[in-house]
Amino acid sequence: PYDAGSAFVVFGRAEGFPATSNLNTLDGTNGFEMRNSAVGTSTVISVSGAGDVNADGYDDVLISNPSANGDAGSTFVVFGKASGFSAMVDLARLDGTDGFRIDGEAAQDTSGNSVSSAGDFNGDGYGDYVIGIPGYDLPATLTTKIQKDAGRAVVISGKNGAELASIAGFAAKSAMGFVAVSYTHLTSPTLYPV
């Protein structure tokens, strides 16, 4: 199944780990696999901690596939919880109670090429997150043409999914958002309110 594109969460534990472990032994109590069973959407590109998106006291996970939906891209948030994971979490079956999906806006955007936690960006008690969209085309203005693949990175609210901030590339092929860095690691972020 791993050639279909999978990501794995291995649970931490107090007693330590052996020198080597086999992912086949993950059974939901010691960790689990995340995979998308939907046809043509299995490739996993970026995985990151999401912080506590739903503010339930458990950290959540971001996982993305920028080639989904005609390269529009999809990003998934999988909610953490105290117990009750199966050995394999099917991203295609997330129903809002265990996680959810965010799709890119347009073909070739490659939304989710990179994903990262943004910490609690707006201080509302919910973990927010960054989605990189390197294929985003900057619209034309009165003085400029469309800047194809200028790219952008967007901070999304964990509370309601609203766009909190965005930064776009300034020229064609800038591919802003090719790499998204956790906001909590930045000392002077340049993100513009929208």
Side-chain angles (χ1 to χ4, degrees):
Y2 309 139
D3 59 357
S6 295
F8 300 84
V9 173
V10 178
F11 297 151
R13 58 186 188 182
E15 63 270 23
F17 291 91
T20 59
S21 298
N22 191 324
L23 295 173
N24 287 329
T25 64
L26 298 179
D27 60 10
T29 64
N30 56 353
F32 57 91
E33 176 186 1
M34 295 177 291
R35 183 168 14 119
N36 192 343
S37 66
V39 175
T41 59
S42 55
T43 304
V44 173
I45 296 296
S46 186
V47 180
S48 175
D52 188 2
V53 171
N54 57 347
D56 65 353
Y58 298 96
D59 283 343
D60 308 313
V61 178
L62 288 162
I63 180 169
S64 67
N65 172 13
S67 64
N69 303 316
D71 291 336
S74 292
T75 298
F76 302 85
V77 177
V78 178
F79 294 148
K81 56 185 177 179
S83 60
F85 285 100
S86 61
M88 197 277 282
V89 172
D90 186 351
L91 300 173
R93 296 182 180 274
L94 296 177
D95 62 11
T97 64
D98 51 358
F100 58 92
R101 184 183 80 220
I102 309 103
D103 290 331
E105 295 177 337
Q108 310 302 317
D109 270 0
T110 59
S111 177
N113 192 81
S114 58
V115 292
S116 180
S117 168
D120 185 0
F121 185 81
N122 58 348
D124 64 356
Y126 292 83
D128 307 311
Y129 49 95
V130 181
I131 298 178
I133 312 169
Y136 170 78
D137 296 338
L138 194 65
T141 68
L142 291 174
T143 58
T144 63
K145 299 178 181 178
I146 292 175
Q147 302 298 307
K148 188 149 180 68
D149 297 334
R152 70 181 189 137
V154 181
V155 179
I156 305 294
S157 167
K159 181 177 182 179
N160 58 23
E163 189 174 307
L164 298 177
S166 175
I167 183 170
F170 58 89
K173 304 297 182 185
S174 294
M176 176 66 71
F178 188 78
V179 176
V181 179
S182 172
Y183 170 72
T184 57
H185 294 167
L186 297 175
T187 54
S188 299
T190 306
L191 291 166
Y192 303 107
V194 293

